[in-house]
Amino acid sequence: MIEVIVQNREEAIEAEAFGAGRVELVTGIEAGGLTPSYGTIKSVINSVTIPVQVMIRPNGYSHCYSEGEKEVILNDIRILSELGGNRIVIGGITKDHTIDGGLLETIIQQQPDIDITFHRAFEELSSQKEGFKTLAQYRNVKRILTSGANQEGQERIAQLQELVRYSEESGPTIMPGSGLSLATIESIHQAVQAEEYHFGKGVRVGEDFSNHFSEKSIKSIEQVLNKRK
């Protein structure tokens, strides 16, 4: 599965045409991704057949949310449902860097059929192993987007391998992301063997979010992922 970040209807249509299996819809990419407008959400959901995952993030400076921000989050999810969507990308943590289970429980209670991707707030946890165990308790949490605890090189690979092992036993799918491109995906996939990967500017012309997608990059990545182990 190749998931790519899109910012509007035109990008979503292009991503689907070039072979992406799923899109993550965001605005404010310079802030790491924020909740898009309702008009944008509606236009994207109505324009593609592949799954659309919508970023639900009220600000770009913290994943530890106040009660007021949580109310905004719940309202955004309610309106997303009214627009025909049930897939969100969200991350909530506590001040002591653990999963905000209360937020997840409230979201699921409000929207029992919600499909949740826990995003890279996962990197800020004091223990990713314990965080994974917590998220595995929620059947609505389908996947975790992670770069491997912000590690580099072999440390990143080792962390992703460990998380994928946890996932294979039980729990959410591990979806590696951050900095992935045609140049890096083969070595990472050979080592990690994840089932899903998340791409941002690495599949854009010139690796720039202001440019269109590179059809060559997406199709070449698909070929890499379809190689036999």
Side-chain angles (χ1 to χ4, degrees), residues 7-14 25 40 43-44 46-48:
Q7 302 166 99
N8 52 52
R9 173 181 176 272
E10 291 71 26
E11 290 184 358
I13 292 172
E14 185 178 64
L25 178 62
T40 299
S43 68
V44 170
N46 291 340
S47 299
V48 296

Side-chain angles (χ1 to χ4, degrees), residues 23-94:
V23 296
E24 178 192 88
L25 178 62
V26 310
T27 192
I29 194 65
E30 68 284 349
L34 302 173
T35 308
S37 72
Y38 305 141
T40 299
I41 294 171
K42 183 176 181 179
S43 68
V44 170
I45 288 175
N46 291 340
S47 299
V48 296
T49 61
I50 57 176
V52 178
Q53 307 203 136
V54 179
M55 175 68 76
I56 302 294
R57 189 175 175 217
N59 67 64
Y61 52 83
S62 175
H63 302 300
C64 183
Y65 298 119
S66 67
E67 291 306 311
E69 288 168 328
K70 290 179 181 180
E71 184 175 346
V72 170
I73 286 169
L74 292 171
N75 282 331
D76 283 339
I77 293 170
R78 176 181 54 79
I79 294 171
L80 169 63
S81 177
E82 293 171 357
L83 294 172
N86 75 328
R87 291 171 169 266
I88 65 170
V89 181
I90 194 167
I93 62 175
T94 66

Side-chain angles (χ1 to χ4, degrees), residues 4-229:
V4 302
I5 296 172
V6 300
Q7 302 166 99
N8 52 52
R9 173 181 176 272
E10 291 71 26
E11 290 184 358
I13 292 172
E14 185 178 64
E16 181 175 33
F18 289 172
R22 188 172 61 225
V23 296
E24 178 192 88
L25 178 62
V26 310
T27 192
I29 194 65
E30 68 284 349
L34 302 173
T35 308
S37 72
Y38 305 141
T40 299
I41 294 171
K42 183 176 181 179
S43 68
V44 170
I45 288 175
N46 291 340
S47 299
V48 296
T49 61
I50 57 176
V52 178
Q53 307 203 136
V54 179
M55 175 68 76
I56 302 294
R57 189 175 175 217
N59 67 64
Y61 52 83
S62 175
H63 302 300
C64 183
Y65 298 119
S66 67
E67 291 306 311
E69 288 168 328
K70 290 179 181 180
E71 184 175 346
V72 170
I73 286 169
L74 292 171
N75 282 331
D76 283 339
I77 293 170
R78 176 181 54 79
I79 294 171
L80 169 63
S81 177
E82 293 171 357
L83 294 172
N86 75 328
R87 291 171 169 266
I88 65 170
V89 181
I90 194 167
I93 62 175
T94 66
K95 291 180 179 179
D96 60 354
H97 298 278
T98 60
I99 299 292
D100 188 342
L103 175 59
L104 290 175
E105 289 165 11
T106 304
I107 290 171
I108 294 167
Q109 183 178 23
Q110 173 181 289
Q111 192 77 21
D113 66 339
I114 196 80
D115 179 307
I116 299 173
T117 295
F118 196 92
H119 64 47
R120 289 186 59 216
F122 192 69
E123 321 299 3
E124 299 180 17
L125 298 176
S126 55
S127 168
Q128 288 199 334
K129 181 177 181 179
E130 293 305 313
F132 182 91
K133 289 180 179 179
T134 299
L135 291 173
Q137 297 173 20
Y138 301 96
R139 64 175 182 82
N140 297 77
V141 178
K142 305 298 186 182
R143 63 200 64 81
I144 299 170
L145 172 61
T146 176
S147 66
N150 290 324
Q151 301 288 338
E152 298 292 338
Q154 190 54 44
E155 288 79 11
R156 177 187 191 186
I157 294 296
Q159 182 67 9
L160 288 172
Q161 288 173 329
E162 183 176 32
L163 290 169
V164 168
R165 282 197 298 272
Y166 296 154
S167 179
E168 288 172 345
E169 293 173 5
S170 65
T173 296
I174 294 298
M175 180 168 60
S178 181
L180 295 185
S181 67
L182 178 57
T184 61
I185 187 59
E186 185 164 16
S187 60
I188 290 176
H189 182 53
Q190 285 180 348
V192 176
Q193 291 294 321
E195 295 295 326
E196 304 180 5
Y197 292 91
H198 175 88
F199 294 87
K201 63 183 180 181
V203 289
R204 303 269 180 157
V205 174
E207 299 197 359
D208 189 324
F209 273 113
S210 64
N211 292 332
H212 291 287
F213 288 104
S214 166
E215 182 176 11
K216 179 181 178 182
S217 292
I218 293 176
K219 291 191 179 303
S220 296
I221 288 168
E222 186 176 25
Q223 291 176 354
V224 169
L225 298 182
N226 285 333
K227 286 181 181 179
R228 292 184 180 275
K229 295 182 182 180

